[in-house]
Amino acid sequence: METQRQLDIDFVRSQFPGLDHGWVFFDNAGGSQILTRTVDRITTFLYDKNVQIGGSYDVSQQAAKALMDSRIAATHLVNAARPEEIIFGSSTTVLLQNLARAMRSQLSAGDEIIVTISDHESNIGPWDGLRDMGIVIKFWPLDTTTYELDIAELKPLLTEKTKLVCVTHVSNILGAINPIAEIAAVAHAHGARICVDAVAYAPHRAVDVQAMDVDYYVFSFYKTYGPHYAMMYGKYDHLLELDPLYHFFYGRDKVPGKLEPGNPNYELAYSVTGIVDYLCELGTRSGGSGSPRELILAAFEAITIQENALTERLLSYLRSRNDCRIIGETANRNGRRIPTISFVFEGQNSEDICKAMDAYKIAIRFGDFHARRLGDHVGLPQYNGAVRVSMVHYNTIEEVDRLTAALDQILGSNGALQNRGAA
Ligand SMILES: Cc1ncc(COP(=O)(O)O)c(C=O)c1O
């Protein structure tokens, strides 16, 4: 029988110096705390290798190697087939805008792109912007009772003109994992490609771009224990087809450089080696062994166990209140939920709740989190947005209890029902 992984929470918390300041950080979907070793890699690059790559001299060669090591680390992180499939950029928003720009010459008027109403605007706006060249944008709707994207509703939207399906791996409000491999298979069967926003997923579960068979896959490191930086995976052959975004003398075959205009930020790219290093050590401490990829998988198994416990603790409290509406699935069925949990309280302004929480040194956030279309669709404006509690593996059950005790004080516990724990 396979033994369950254990998360070494003391080790985990010791790796994030920001956790030492007395705050409970429950705004991780906004931005996570950063790893010491990630910061160390940035300073190592800046102090020891801070020159332009491409020179013949030793330090320049070391800088080039550091950049390649960064791509290799990211390759392990997402299980890409080769390091050239990794494109670095300043943010997910910019990478998706760049992708839309680089696809222009392969699109023509009348072509169709499908987006979802549950996405962050980063994976809608750049595609919507292609309407100016006659691209037809179709919205895959969301069922507001189940909060699910139903594949049966995607299928009739697909035609022979569909070029791309753009979908989030997890909504940064709803918190449920979308079946990306299944969606990719449906898109591919219709001759379309798939572009996935994984910002709200990558901090929580192991990514395997090859197993999902995705075409483009984008996320940000500042929510994945690193600095303000981001990456896009693209299948190598697709990247070759994209239009160069750099100088005219960078041709189509200059992958990934043609898609990193002005070069990547070397020191921030190098920080990714620190994220992967941490995950490998965590994997070893969780009982894993073998290659970096195997250790990453072991780390995320342990992370998942911790996150499922946090998710259940908070959901069971929220379900027990008769004044709370959870915006998303109310239970973590089949481990489908990550611990990003949004909710509203009847008759309450979400901003007031978050501000009251500040006094408890518990960092949470309210709003629509730039998923404006989704927020409007599920009726958030009347509450001034949702309250969002977004946890990661370094959070603890004690912190969840601190939050729920504070909620009881702020709102009164009279909203609490007797059947606490019932789904
Ligand atoms: C789901 C999701 N997608 C995209 C983004 C945008 O990422 P970035 O800030 O790197 O542009 C965010 C940021 O909050 C997000 O939560």
Side-chain angles (χ1 to χ4, degrees), residues 29-30 90-94 120 122 168 170-172 197 199-200 220 222-223 229-230 369 388:
S90 60
S91 66
T92 290
T93 303
V94 165
H120 185 283
S122 286
T168 188
V170 171
S171 145
N172 63 341
D197 171 351
V199 173
S220 310
Y222 71 99
K223 315 206 197 227
Y229 209 47
F369 318 104
R388 185 179 69 183

Side-chain angles (χ1 to χ4, degrees), residues 119-122 172 368-373:
D119 268 72
H120 185 283
E121 193 58 23
S122 286
N172 63 341
D368 60 29
F369 318 104
H370 291 180
R372 176 69 47 89
R373 299 171 205 251

Side-chain angles (χ1 to χ4, degrees), residues 382-416:
Q382 62 173 305
Y383 304 93
N384 194 15
V387 176
R388 185 179 69 183
V389 175
S390 54
M391 303 174 280
V392 291
H393 66 291
Y394 54 58
N395 291 122
T396 63
I397 293 288
E398 292 70 32
E399 289 181 325
V400 180
D401 291 347
R402 209 168 126 186
L403 172 92
T404 55
L407 281 173
D408 277 345
Q409 282 184 12
I410 292 165
L411 297 161
S413 54
N414 55 354

